[in-house]
């Protein structure tokens, strides 16, 4: 198994043209169905967001500075346990986009005609910009779906927008974002590994480990 550093170098060497070829071969156009922005059954929507992406959303001109960390992100729920009161506690890694009371992404809006829209579309995280595609390298988000290219590097998740015509320009834009996401995911994974120091959270407390160290649920450093 390659080291994360080796995988990062591989991600940096990905050819945008090759990624675009794979995307173009299957085709994609967003139908605004909202499936990638909403929760499923009893599972809330979960999309990884990097610390710097949280701050970019906080500072976006679209929201006039009205958002704080908790409006944008929540602790990734995996690995946390429920208290007797139904709250979560424990240690986890990384952040997920915040959800509303229905378990949908907090930035998801649905029009009267049933089509979906993103209130943070211009500032949306890389995982949203690249859906339904992912790059299958160790250290990146766990690849799902079918391989698009012969090497199995590009994967396509289930999405009703697949199979639709896509222009070369749009395929290349998506490919560049896909490469950037793969690089940043690996950079984040390496930094999380290097910064990680185990802690013993107090009862009812959540500690989140990201590339910047251990944090509280409001995004402030644990050491403060």
């Amino acid at each position: 198994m390659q080291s994360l550093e080796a995988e990062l170098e591989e991600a940096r060497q990905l050819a945008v043209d090759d990624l675009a070829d794979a995307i173009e071969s299957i085709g994609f156009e967003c139908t605004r169905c909202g499936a990638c922005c909403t929760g499923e059954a009893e599972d809330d929507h979960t999309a990884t967001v990097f610390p710097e992406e949280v701050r970019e959303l906080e500072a976006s001109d679209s929201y006039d500075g009205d958002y704080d960390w908790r409006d944008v992100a929540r602790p990734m729920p995996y690995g946390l346990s429920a208290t007797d009161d139904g709250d979560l506690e424990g240690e986890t890694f990384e952040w997920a986009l915040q959800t509303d009371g229905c378990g949908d992404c907090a930035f998801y809006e649905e029009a009267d005609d049933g089509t979906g829209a993103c209130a943070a579309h211009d500032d949306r995280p890389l995982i949203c910009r690249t859906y339904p595609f992912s790059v299958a390298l160790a250290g990146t988000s766990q690849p799902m779906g079918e391989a698009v290219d012969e090497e199995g590097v590009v994967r396509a998740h289930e999405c009703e927008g697949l199979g639709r015509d896509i222009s070369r320009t749009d395929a290349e834009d998506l490919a560049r974002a896909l490469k950037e996401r793969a690089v940043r995911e690996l950079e984040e994974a390496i930094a999380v590994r290097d910064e990680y120091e185990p802690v013993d959270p107090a009862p009812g407390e959540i500690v989140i480990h990201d590339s910047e160290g251990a944090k509280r649920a409001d995004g402030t450093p644990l050491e403060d």
Side-chain angles (χ1 to χ4, degrees), residues 79-81 83 88-93 196-209 214-217 222:
L80 299 177
S81 56
T83 66
L88 295 175
E89 64 181 3
E91 284 184 280
T92 189
F93 295 88
Y196 176 70
E197 292 184 7
V199 298
D200 186 15
E205 180 183 36
I206 298 175
V207 174
I208 304 93
H209 299 276
K215 292 177 180 172
R216 302 181 184 90
L222 189 64

Side-chain angles (χ1 to χ4, degrees), residues 148-169:
V148 176
D149 56 340
E150 292 183 2
E151 295 77 17
V153 174
V154 179
R155 302 293 180 92
H157 305 236
E158 184 177 347
C159 176
E160 70 172 34
L162 290 171
R164 297 170 180 264
D165 290 339
I166 185 170
S167 70
R168 183 63 185 187
T169 298

Side-chain angles (χ1 to χ4, degrees), residues 2-15 137-138 179 182-183 186-187 190:
Q2 289 195 100
S3 67
L4 290 176
E5 286 79 5
E7 295 284 355
L8 175 57
E9 183 58 31
E10 186 174 341
R12 288 172 173 162
Q13 297 301 318
L14 289 170
L137 295 175
K179 177 177 179 176
V183 170
L186 281 155
E187 290 175 338
I190 290 169

